[in-house]
């Protein structure tokens, strides 16, 4: 299997790279949606990400990616028969599972193994893609073309961290804790607003219009395709440095504090923008904590919040027919309208 293009060698597209790194640090963010033109590096960045992550531990032959110390009841490998020693603990790369557009619900959730049922008369569960993605990433390219019922199913599993299958007399429940990453081209259709809201972060990627950066992109790509091993070796140290940042950020994430006045300004920002529900603020809090951890800091600043607010809030804004400036300028205006005491200047005249 060919090794992915190095993450550190991706030119520009800083918001996309930052969103993916934050999701790698904080799985509770709710995943990342990447929309943009073809050929802007969306799939390349997603596949490159898993090369940066530390391997996971599980048992040899396990298809649910169970933690060795916490075997799941559905896993017949980790729950060895009485008197038998469980298989050895092994390490492998964090899963990055591609979900094809034509996948059936059985393929995604798992189903009864028909062959075993017919030949041996045994009811045996065949785990699906959600089991394979546990403790890793589930990637859906062209997510805006995926059937709605499958998207709903995936988002429910991503939110709850559990896959429940009840059919043909089987009742299976297993962990499905993964980071959902979707990408698509807006020319091929939008996602429903309620689905957009379920993604923690959303970023737009555009074709690079800087001449020097465009030249650098084609040079690096050409070198990679001509000599993949040599190119990967050339970027290995810089990729490893990014990987160490992610690992270090994971270690300090739960220690990162958010001062009260920053939390107050977050809520004020969401109120000012008329964001429905509380998911926007909660994601803003988690994302800013991940951003601070990636910068090796134990405290969130308002600059962290201002920097990530567009990727957290743009896709949650209601359409304003009287404002055609776009989502990002609306957020910039809202950020500028809130002072450092958390008061809305507009609300107080």
């Amino acid at each position: 299997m060919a090794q992915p293009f190095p993450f550190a060698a991706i030119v520009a597209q800083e918001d996309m790279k930052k969103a993916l790194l934050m999701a790698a640090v904080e799985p509770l963010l709710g995943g990342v949606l990447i929309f943009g033109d073809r050929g802007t590096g969306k799939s390349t960045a997603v596949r490159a990400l898993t090369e940066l992550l530390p391997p996971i531990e599980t048992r040899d032959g396990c298809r649910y990616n169970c933690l060795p110390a916490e075997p799941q009841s559905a896993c017949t490998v980790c729950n060895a028969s009485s008197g038998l020693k469980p298989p050895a603990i092994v390490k492998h790369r964090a899963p990055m599972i591609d979900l094809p557009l034509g996948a059936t619900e059985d393929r995604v959730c798992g189903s009864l193994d028909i062959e075993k049922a017919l030949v041996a008369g045994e009811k045996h569960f065949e785990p699906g893609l959600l089991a394979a993605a546990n403790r890793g990433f589930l990637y859906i390219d062209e997510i805006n073309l995926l059937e709605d019922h499958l998207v709903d199913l995936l988002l429910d599993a991503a939110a709850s961290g559990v896959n429940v299958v009840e059919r043909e007399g089987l009742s299976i429940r297993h962990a499905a804790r993964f980071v959902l990453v979707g990408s698509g081209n807006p020319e091929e259709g939008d996602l429903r607003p309620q689905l957009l809201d379920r993604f923690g972060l959303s970023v737009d990627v555009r074709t690079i219009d800087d001449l020097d950066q465009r030249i650098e992109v084609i040079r690096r790509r050409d070198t990679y395709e001509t000599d993949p091993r040599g190119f990967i070796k050339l970027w290995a140290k810089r990729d490893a440095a990014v990987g160490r940042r992610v690992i270090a950020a994971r270690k300090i994430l739960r220690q990162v504090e958010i001062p009260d006045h920053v939390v107050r300004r977050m809520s004020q920002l969401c109120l000012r923008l008329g964001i429905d529900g509380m998911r926007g603020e909660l994601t803003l809090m988690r994302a800013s904590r991940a951003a601070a951890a990636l910068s090796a800091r134990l405290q969130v600043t308002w600059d962290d919040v201002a920097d990530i607010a567009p990727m957290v809030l743009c896709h949650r804004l209601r359409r304003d027919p009287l404002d055609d400036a776009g989502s990002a300028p609306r957020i910039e205006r809202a950020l500028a309208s809130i002072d450092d005491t958390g008061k809305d200047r507009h609300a107080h005249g």
Side-chain angles (χ1 to χ4, degrees):
M1 182 176 160
Q3 277 191 282
F5 190 86
F7 191 87
I10 297 171
V11 178
Q13 312 296 12
E14 299 304 326
D15 282 351
M16 174 175 66
K17 290 189 284 189
K18 184 165 186 174
L20 289 171
L21 291 178
M22 286 195 293
V25 171
E26 174 53 286
L28 297 178
L29 271 181
V32 182
L33 181 64
I34 308 168
F35 255 33
D37 304 328
R38 296 185 190 87
T40 45
K42 301 186 293 291
S43 300
T44 300
V46 175
R47 295 199 167 88
L49 181 67
T50 50
E51 295 294 312
L52 308 178
L53 304 179
I56 64 170
E57 279 191 350
T58 187
R59 292 199 181 274
D60 192 21
C62 173
R63 297 179 66 189
Y64 297 85
N65 294 322
C66 296
L67 281 164
E70 299 174 19
Q72 301 180 64
S73 58
C75 183
T76 53
V77 172
C78 295
N79 291 291
S81 301
S82 177
L84 293 179
K85 193 177 175 183
I89 294 174
V90 293
K91 287 186 177 181
H92 61 69
R93 184 187 300 171
M96 167 61 75
I97 303 300
D98 279 277
L99 191 147
L101 290 180
T104 63
E105 191 169 326
D106 281 354
R107 177 78 182 103
V108 175
C109 296
S111 62
L112 179 69
D113 185 332
I114 299 296
E115 187 176 343
K116 276 198 174 178
L118 291 175
V119 175
E122 296 175 3
K123 284 187 177 179
H124 180 80
F125 181 68
E126 180 67 16
L129 298 177
L130 295 183
N134 186 36
R135 300 172 65 197
F137 291 76
L138 188 69
Y139 177 50
I140 311 168
D141 192 18
E142 299 181 314
I143 189 170
N144 43 342
L145 301 182
L146 195 68
E147 292 182 24
D148 288 345
H149 75 281
L150 280 182
V151 179
D152 288 340
L153 185 155
L154 291 170
L155 290 175
D156 285 345
S160 67
V162 176
N163 177 39
V164 180
V165 182
E166 290 185 342
R167 64 187 64 156
E168 289 123 6
L170 279 174
S171 181
I172 299 289
R173 183 185 180 90
H174 67 78
R177 298 189 188 92
F178 55 84
V179 176
L180 183 64
V181 181
S183 66
N185 183 339
E187 291 177 358
E188 294 168 344
D190 295 324
L191 278 185
R192 286 181 285 142
Q194 59 269 44
L195 299 183
L196 271 177
D197 183 58
R198 297 292 292 274
F199 276 96
L201 307 176
S202 175
V203 290
D204 290 329
V205 288
R206 298 181 187 282
T207 302
I208 295 171
D209 56 9
D210 180 276
L211 181 61
D212 291 336
Q213 288 183 343
R214 291 178 70 97
I215 293 170
E216 192 61 26
V217 169
I218 56 174
R219 277 188 171 155
R220 290 184 189 178
R221 192 73 206 184
D222 183 57
T223 307
Y224 168 72
E225 291 181 0
T226 304
D227 178 14
R229 282 191 182 181
F231 187 78
I232 289 166
K233 188 176 178 183
L234 185 68
W235 285 87
K237 283 188 178 177
R238 277 170 277 196
D239 247 11
V242 180
R244 285 195 296 273
R245 268 183 70 204
V246 172
I247 293 169
R250 283 181 172 182
K251 287 180 180 172
I252 65 170
L253 180 67
R254 303 302 168 208
Q255 302 168 39
V256 176
E257 296 180 348
I258 309 180
D260 290 345
H261 68 90
V262 174
V263 176
R264 184 179 180 82
R265 292 173 84 179
M266 284 182 190
S267 293
Q268 201 67 32
L269 176 65
C270 291
L271 277 173
R272 173 78 181 152
L273 290 166
I275 302 293
D276 293 328
M278 304 300 291
R279 199 172 284 152
E281 281 156 273
L282 189 59
T283 308
L284 205 53
M285 180 180 285
R286 288 171 174 167
S288 58
R289 199 181 280 136
L294 276 169
S295 299
R297 284 183 282 109
L298 292 176
Q299 190 168 77
V300 170
T301 67
W302 182 245
D303 286 343
D304 292 321
V305 180
D307 183 43
I308 61 170
M311 63 178 78
V312 174
L313 299 176
C314 272
H315 61 298
R316 295 188 166 88
L317 291 180
R318 294 181 199 153
R319 292 187 189 278
D320 184 350
L322 301 178
D323 188 346
D324 58 1
S327 300
R330 284 173 63 189
I331 290 176
E332 287 174 12
R333 290 201 302 270
L335 285 165
S337 73
I338 298 168
D339 65 25
D340 57 9
T341 64
K343 293 179 180 175
D344 186 334
R345 294 186 185 117
H346 290 248
H348 292 268

